[in-house]
Amino acid sequence: MGLSTEKTSPAAPSGSTPAPARWKQVAAWASWDWGSAAFNAVMTTFVFTVYLTSSSFGDTDTNSAVLGAALAIAGVAIAVLAPVTGQRSDAGGRRRKWLTINTLLTCALVAACWFVLPSPDYLILGVALIAAANLFFEFAGVNYNAMLGQVSTPATVGRISGLGWAMGYVGGIAALALVLVGFVQPDVGWFGVTTEDGLNLRAVALFSAVWFLLFALPLMFAVPEVQRQEAVARLGILASYKLLFHRIKVLFRTDPHTIYFLLASAVFRDGLAAVFTFGGVIAAGTFGWELSQVIMFAIFGNVVAAVGSVIGGFLDDRFGPKAVIVGSLIGLIIAGTAVVVLGPGDQDLLGLQWTGDTTFWIFGLMLCLFVGPAQSASRAFLARLAPEGKEGELFGLYATTGRAVSFLAPTLFSACIVIFGAQRYGIIGIVAVLLLGLLVLLPVRSPAARTAQPVEKA
C-alpha cells in the first residue's frame, strides 16, 4: 500500500527532517476506531441504552423521551463547541493531548454507568452519564479525524480512512459478540455476574470502558503531536469564536467549495446514519424478523460495510473521494428504492422467484456495502481540503454541520410512514435525504481537481 510516505508530520519543527508516517502509526490510529466501537455499538446502540429505556426504569415511552432529550442537549453542545475545541487543540499543539483527555473522560463516564441500578431513581443518572460521554466522545472524534492527515498522504488518505472505518465496524462485531457471550446470554456470566440488580448489564459498562481504553492507548503514544501556534494558542474563548467566524467568512470567499462540501455532507451523512438507525426497525416491523435474525443480519451487515470501506478506500485514492461518494449514494438510492418497491411479499420476476426475506438480505446488504465507502470517503474528502494546522477546526465544523441537520432523515422517515400508511414507506424519506445530499454534492469540485486556499489569519 506504500504507507511509508514522504509527508512531513505537522509536529516536526520547521526545517527538520520529514517524519514519514509508518505502519505502526497507521495501526495505532486505526486501533482507536476499533476500540471506540464499544461505545458506539454496545453502549449507545444495542445494549446499555436498551437497558435504560426498559421497564426497569419506569414507563418505556417516558424513558425513551428522557434519553432523547439528554442526547439532544449533548448534540447542541457538540454543535456549538466542536469547532472551537478543534481550533484550540490545533493552535496549542495539543491535538493528541485533548484526544487523550476526552477519550479518558469518555471511558470514565462509561465505567460510571456501573452505578446505574435498574430503578426509576437511577434513570436521570444513567441518561446524564450517556449524554456526557457522547459529548466528550465527539470532541475526541474531532481530534481523531484531524489526525488522519498526520498518518497519511494525498496518495494514501483514502485507503487509510477506509481502514479506520473498517476497524470500527469489525471492532463493533467483536465487542458485541463478547458482550453477548460473556454477559447477556448466560444465566451466570463472566466473573460470576448474574441478572440480579442488572449486574450483567452494568458489567457491560465496565467491559466497554476497558475495551475502549486498551485499544485507544496505542494512539496516545505512537502518533506525534502537532506544532504549537503561539499567537492563536493565547486567545480566550470569545476571541476564539471571533476568529472562527472570521475564518468561515474568509473560507467562503476564498474557497467556497469547502463550505459547499460541509453542507452537502451534512445532508447525506444524516441519510447514512438513518440506514443503520432504522435498518433493524424495518427488518422487524416490515419483514417480520425475530431478534435473532436481526442480530445475525447486523453481524453480516457490519462485515459487508467493513469490506466496502476497504474497497472504497482504494477506489478513493485511485479516482478521488467525490467519485466514491457519488457512486455510493447512487448505489444506496437504488437499493433503498428496491426495498420499498419489492417489499416483504414473494416476488416472481422474469421467471425468478424469491421471498421477502431474500429481498431484504440482498438489498439490505447492498445498503451496508455502500454506507462504509460513503462515510470513509467523506472524511478523506475533508482531510484533503483541510489547510495544514487547521484540521481540527475544520473537522469541528464537520461535526457541527452534521448535528445541524440530524433531524432531517428521522423526520422524513416518520412523515412518510404517516403519509403512506405503512412502515416500509419510511425508507422513502431516507432515500429522499440521500438524493438531496447527492444533488447538493454534484456541483462541488473534487479536491483532486482544485487547490485548497489557506485559511486567512486574523
Side-chain angles (χ1 to χ4, degrees), residues 31 41 52 64 112 132 177 185 205 217 239 244 250 304 316 325 341 354 372 413:
S31 178
L52 283 177
S64 298
Q185 289 184 336
L217 285 175
L244 172 66
V250 171
V304 169
D316 182 326
I325 299 171
V341 173
W354 67 88
F413 178 83

Side-chain angles (χ1 to χ4, degrees), residues 132-179:
N134 191 64
L135 176 69
F136 291 112
F137 177 79
E138 290 288 344
F139 288 164
V142 168
N143 287 292
Y144 173 74
N145 287 333
M147 281 184 169
L148 175 57
Q150 294 173 240
V151 297
S152 66
T153 67
T156 62
V157 62
R159 72 193 77 173
I160 292 176
S161 180
L163 174 65
W165 276 107
M167 290 283 280
Y169 285 126
V170 179
I173 295 171
L176 280 171
L178 291 174
V179 163

Side-chain angles (χ1 to χ4, degrees), residues 154-443:
T156 62
V157 62
R159 72 193 77 173
I160 292 176
S161 180
L163 174 65
W165 276 107
M167 290 283 280
Y169 285 126
V170 179
I173 295 171
L176 280 171
L178 291 174
V179 163
L180 288 172
V181 171
F183 301 103
V184 175
Q185 289 184 336
D187 293 330
V188 179
W190 293 341
F191 312 108
V193 300
T194 66
T195 59
E196 184 178 359
D197 289 332
L199 185 63
N200 62 331
L201 299 179
R202 291 157 53 208
V204 165
L206 295 179
F207 167 85
S208 299
V210 172
W211 176 279
F212 190 7
L213 178 61
L214 286 178
F215 288 104
L217 285 175
L219 176 57
M220 297 177 186
F221 296 98
V223 180
E225 189 56 277
V226 291
Q227 187 175 0
R228 183 180 179 89
Q229 303 169 31
E230 293 289 348
V232 180
R234 292 194 297 267
L235 291 178
I237 295 295
L238 292 179
S240 295
Y241 275 104
K242 181 179 179 180
L243 176 61
L244 172 66
F245 294 135
H246 170 73
R247 284 178 171 168
I248 292 173
K249 180 180 177 180
V250 171
L251 190 63
F252 188 78
R253 186 177 70 247
T254 61
D255 196 16
H257 283 267
T258 297
I259 302 296
Y260 300 155
F261 175 73
L262 287 171
L263 297 176
S265 70
V267 176
F268 69 69
R269 281 185 290 136
D270 189 44
L272 299 176
V275 170
F276 275 120
T277 301
F278 297 109
V281 174
I282 293 292
T286 297
F287 290 82
W289 285 14
E290 300 293 333
L291 179 60
S292 59
Q293 292 175 285
V294 175
I295 293 175
M296 183 63 67
F297 179 84
I299 292 173
F300 278 96
N302 275 275
V303 170
V304 169
V307 172
S309 296
V310 173
I311 295 173
F314 278 91
L315 295 176
D316 182 326
D317 289 332
R318 177 66 178 83
F319 301 105
K322 182 180 177 180
V324 173
I325 299 171
V326 169
S328 297
L329 292 178
I330 292 173
L332 286 162
I333 291 168
I334 292 173
T337 301
V339 174
V340 175
V341 173
L342 298 176
D346 295 341
Q347 301 295 325
D348 186 351
L349 182 63
L350 300 176
L352 297 176
Q353 298 179 345
W354 67 88
T355 65
D357 284 357
T358 302
T359 294
F360 194 81
W361 271 104
I362 292 174
F363 293 103
L365 289 179
M366 185 176 171
L367 286 166
C368 295
L369 178 67
F370 288 114
V371 164
Q375 292 174 319
S376 171
S378 181
R379 177 167 65 186
F381 194 117
L382 194 63
R384 286 181 168 94
L385 294 179
E388 186 171 337
K390 305 294 187 295
E391 295 91 346
E393 181 177 276
L394 203 57
F395 274 105
L397 288 172
Y398 188 68
T400 294
T401 53
R403 290 284 174 172
V405 300
S406 60
F407 66 91
L408 193 58
T411 300
L412 290 180
F413 178 83
S414 300
C416 288
I417 293 176
V418 173
I419 293 171
F420 297 105
Q423 186 195 60
R424 104 194 206 202
Y425 295 108
I427 302 174
I428 295 175
I430 299 175
V431 169
V433 173
L434 294 170
L435 178 60
L436 177 61
L438 173 61
L439 294 176
V440 178
L441 175 66
L442 287 177

